[in-house]
Amino acid sequence: MPSEGSAAWRLRPSWTSLLPKGVRSCPPLGSADGHTGWVASVVTTVLGGRPVALTGSGDHTVRVWDLATGDPVGGPLDLGAGSVEALAIGERQGRRVVVTGCYDATVHVWDLETRQEVMAPLEGHTGPVYAAATAVLDGRWVAVTGGGPEVRVWDLETGDPVGRPFTGHTGYVGALAVTELTPGHLVVVSGGYRAATRVSDLATGLPVLDLPGPANLEDVTTTVVDGRQVAVTCTSDDPTLQVWDLSTAERIGELFPQHLRTAHALATAVVDGRQVVVSTCDGGSVRASDLVVGEPASEPARGEPVGEPVRHDATIRAVATTTESGRPVAVTGGDDRTVRVWDLDTGDQVCPPLTGHTGAVTAVAATQADDRAMAITGGDDGTVHLWDLTLGKAAGAPLTAHHRPITAVAADMPLAITAGDDKTIRVWDLRTGEETGNPRKSDHRWVHDLATTMLDGRPVAVLGRWGGGFRVRDLATNRDTGLQSTGGNGKPVRLVAVTLVDGRPIAVTTDDDWRDPPLKVWDVATARQLGHLPAGTVNALAATTIGGHPVAIVAGHYDTVTAWSLLTFDRIGPDLVLPGPVHAVAATPRGDVVVCFDRDIAVFTAAPPS
């Protein structure tokens, strides 16, 4: 892979178990047309017949984005109003106007087409105006703004205040939205830092109800879904967006827009007939996510808790990929003792959760056997299970030859290999479920990880050595071939990944010795080190070859995932930052990158340079 092409690679979000629909980036990931400062505000409208989003930023510009493509529309707008903290679209004298709340405690009103200010700044707030919305109240357009601890209402025709300020908040108001709770009954949903999220009557300012969950509210937007008035909220301490039924104050959905940091501003729109939530973060990114909510409380969806995403009930520990009936799938295992199978294109679960382990599932492998998709899993309970993914059930009784927790599994049709804390390495025939050969001791030490590949036309396993590096074992005989890396530092290899380049296996290993390079790259056939990757802490590791280019996918310290070229040892594209600790990764030759963080799974598509 040429080093000059490495930066052109990108990992594009495909779906997650929090949001099994597409997530669109504005601008598209990899382009350089975005804001250069934090994005503090967003609003949506229709411009020239197409849905667009307007975003206001600390770079003192307002930008317009085509929500169908993510591309910018026109050039950036400099409204000359300093830091734009809030945006809203309304009408004045039959023309569309933009209401901007600014850090200097003022509110400005601009003509959307001419970009000229149409009245004197609205003054009265005692702090920065972080929130703005518009509505029609008693037949007149009004602006609703939040600054300091107050919510104020303004007549957009005259600029005069309407009624008294809402004074029920104990902290500053950082977010608000206006919606029709019932026909003719307009309410304001507002909240902020260390303040309850309150629903108030727009005409009187009197409280109607409080939402139980959101504290430290960053933003809120409202819409109608299946006849229900809903609010979408984001907070400063949660990477997900929460969806609330305003008539019941119940949470009915959760979205994950895949920002590098927590979301800061929200708006809703309709794109190609689908409802989306547009969100921003202070890192400068803008995302459009499909709005997905649970069924009403009286109609639970397929036995799932209302509003809860379909995912593991505890941390995911292992993942592998294969194909089932022609579709690519990921197989995950976790602390909830279940094995789950995911369609990599849609995010749907291929079959109900596979159960049988009595402890956490710690190792997963997947392959094809007699034209059927199979998975092999190992757990803390010391058992190994074979699963027929086509039928969605166990392919025989559990394999109980190991006597301690399983540390690693790998498979290469028709054989699978397992290693455990009992210091033995066992090989299994996937067609019969029988053990082949004799169990081998692992040098009186544990094998923490292993991977299978082909070497000189024979299936082999690359085993991480206790003293560093690797050794190669023949799967047909379960005997060492004698091929192994030289030297060693006395530290065990924790992770091993292998891929093929022109039929030649390349391995990547990592150990816990801080004096060594974190990731070493090897030619397996010669046991010669080819180089190293300058990564930091490594929590999970995968390797694949995409379009002839060998790539390593590395989960680093806590929540960061990086792609590396195994030819040039360069970083490929920007890092991915997930909202929780990453424990497992996998990759496919077509470019799917599967990342398991906490209880959730996210899939990205690796796009090589053209």
Side-chain angles (χ1 to χ4, degrees):
M1 183 189 306
S3 60
E4 60 269 21
S6 296
W9 284 59
R10 290 293 183 269
L11 294 178
R12 296 194 298 263
S14 297
W15 59 266
T16 79
S17 59
L18 287 178
L19 178 61
K21 299 288 183 181
V23 175
R24 192 175 300 105
S25 175
C26 305
L29 290 180
S31 65
D33 299 322
H35 285 288
T36 58
W38 71 90
V39 183
S41 52
V42 61
V43 68
T44 59
T45 187
V46 176
L47 192 62
R50 54 185 172 181
V52 298
L54 282 71
T55 53
S57 170
D59 62 11
H60 306 295
T61 67
V62 174
R63 296 174 187 248
V64 185
W65 309 97
D66 187 317
L67 288 177
T69 64
D71 294 324
V73 178
L77 314 179
D78 188 349
L79 299 182
S83 176
V84 178
E85 300 293 332
L87 289 171
I89 300 290
E91 284 190 19
R92 182 179 187 271
Q93 299 178 356
R95 296 179 64 85
R96 281 189 297 172
V97 293
V98 181
V99 179
T100 60
C102 298
Y103 189 78
D104 62 3
T106 63
V107 177
H108 298 254
V109 183
W110 310 80
D111 187 290
L112 180 60
E113 294 183 6
T114 67
R115 301 171 191 173
Q116 298 298 313
E117 202 162 358
V118 298
M119 64 174 64
L122 309 179
E123 299 179 343
H125 283 292
T126 58
V129 180
Y130 288 120
T134 59
V136 177
L137 178 65
D138 297 330
R140 57 182 170 175
W141 276 93
V142 297
V144 186
T145 57
E150 298 176 342
V151 173
R152 290 177 175 262
V153 184
W154 311 86
D155 189 314
L156 278 179
E157 181 68 30
T158 65
D160 295 330
V162 177
R164 294 179 176 274
F166 302 6
T167 58
H169 288 289
T170 56
Y172 70 75
V173 177
L176 63 81
V178 178
T179 191
E180 194 174 46
L181 188 60
T182 57
H185 185 197
L186 290 174
V187 296
V188 179
V189 184
S190 58
Y193 180 65
R194 293 183 178 177
T197 299
R198 174 161 294 177
V199 180
S200 306
D201 187 289
L202 175 59
T204 65
L206 296 177
V208 175
L209 57 88
D210 287 349
L211 296 182
N216 296 332
L217 191 69
E218 287 286 331
D219 204 9
V220 58
T221 187
T222 58
T223 189
V224 179
V225 179
D226 298 329
R228 288 183 288 175
Q229 294 286 343
V230 304
V232 184
T233 62
C234 61
T235 65
S236 59
D237 49 11
D238 192 333
T240 65
L241 314 181
Q242 307 294 320
V243 186
W244 303 84
D245 187 321
L246 285 177
S247 64
T248 63
E250 293 179 338
R251 184 169 65 88
I252 59 173
E254 184 179 31
L255 313 179
F256 172 45
Q258 301 168 356
H259 287 293
L260 298 181
R261 302 175 187 171
T262 55
H264 187 78
L266 302 173
T268 59
V270 176
V271 180
D272 298 329
R274 305 191 324 272
Q275 285 189 298
V276 302
V277 176
V278 183
S279 57
T280 75
C281 83
D282 60 6
S285 62
V286 181
R287 301 281 191 266
S289 312
D290 285 4
L291 177 56
V292 181
V293 302
E295 297 295 326
S298 59
E299 301 177 19
R302 297 184 301 278
E304 293 291 339
V306 173
E308 290 294 330
V310 179
R311 58 185 178 188
H312 281 272
D313 295 326
T315 301
I316 299 173
R317 295 296 176 188
V319 60
T321 61
T322 187
T323 58
E324 190 280 316
S325 300
R327 57 182 169 178
V329 298
V331 185
T332 55
D335 286 349
D336 61 359
R337 305 178 183 181
T338 70
V339 176
R340 299 178 185 242
V341 187
W342 309 83
D343 186 312
L344 285 180
D345 287 329
T346 66
D348 297 329
Q349 290 198 71
V350 173
C351 58
L354 304 174
T355 60
H357 282 285
T358 59
V361 180
T362 55
V364 174
T367 189
Q368 300 288 312
D370 296 331
D371 296 325
R372 303 187 75 83
M374 295 195 68
I376 180 170
T377 60
D380 274 346
D381 57 6
T383 65
V384 174
H385 291 247
L386 302 181
W387 308 96
D388 187 318
L389 303 184
T390 302
L391 297 178
K393 66 179 185 179
L399 310 178
T400 59
H402 284 284
H403 304 297
R404 297 289 301 277
I406 306 300
T407 56
V409 303
D412 198 330
M413 173 60 192
L415 301 173
I417 185 170
T418 59
D421 274 354
D422 59 1
K423 302 179 184 178
T424 64
I425 300 169
R426 299 176 184 270
V427 176
W428 311 86
D429 188 316
L430 291 174
R431 294 165 298 190
T432 64
E434 300 292 332
E435 188 172 1
T436 66
N438 295 318
R440 307 291 298 181
K441 291 289 184 181
S442 53
D443 291 344
H444 305 290
R445 302 277 188 157
W446 294 271
V447 170
H448 290 277
D449 201 14
L450 51 82
T452 55
T453 188
M454 298 295 293
L455 183 62
D456 298 328
R458 295 177 62 82
V460 298
V462 178
L463 281 61
R465 293 179 60 200
W466 183 270
F470 66 90
R471 54 196 173 96
V472 178
R473 177 159 290 191
D474 190 310
L475 284 183
T477 63
N478 197 15
R479 292 182 178 275
D480 286 342
T481 63
L483 182 63
Q484 65 180 31
S485 59
T486 59
N489 54 20
K491 299 290 185 179
V493 167
R494 291 189 299 106
L495 299 171
V496 177
V498 178
T499 188
L500 289 172
V501 181
D502 297 326
R504 195 173 185 87
I506 293 178
V508 187
T509 63
T510 184
D511 57 49
D512 288 323
D513 193 338
W514 60 270
R515 297 166 297 181
D516 271 354
L519 288 163
K520 298 178 182 178
V521 183
W522 309 84
D523 183 319
V524 175
T526 62
R528 181 174 62 90
Q529 186 175 342
L530 300 176
H532 70 274
L533 305 179
T537 302
V538 180
N539 290 335
L541 177 65
T544 191
T545 299
I546 306 171
H549 302 286
V551 177
I553 307 298
V554 180
H557 178 67
Y558 190 70
D559 57 3
T560 302
V561 175
T562 308
W564 297 86
S565 165
L566 293 180
L567 292 184
T568 66
F569 314 124
D570 292 329
R571 187 188 305 264
I572 297 174
D575 292 347
L576 299 175
V577 180
L578 280 297
V582 177
H583 296 288
V585 294
T588 70
R590 77 167 191 170
D592 302 299
V593 176
V594 185
V595 181
C596 299
F597 59 100
D598 194 27
R599 299 178 294 159
D600 298 297
I601 175 174
V603 177
F604 299 83
T605 301
S610 58

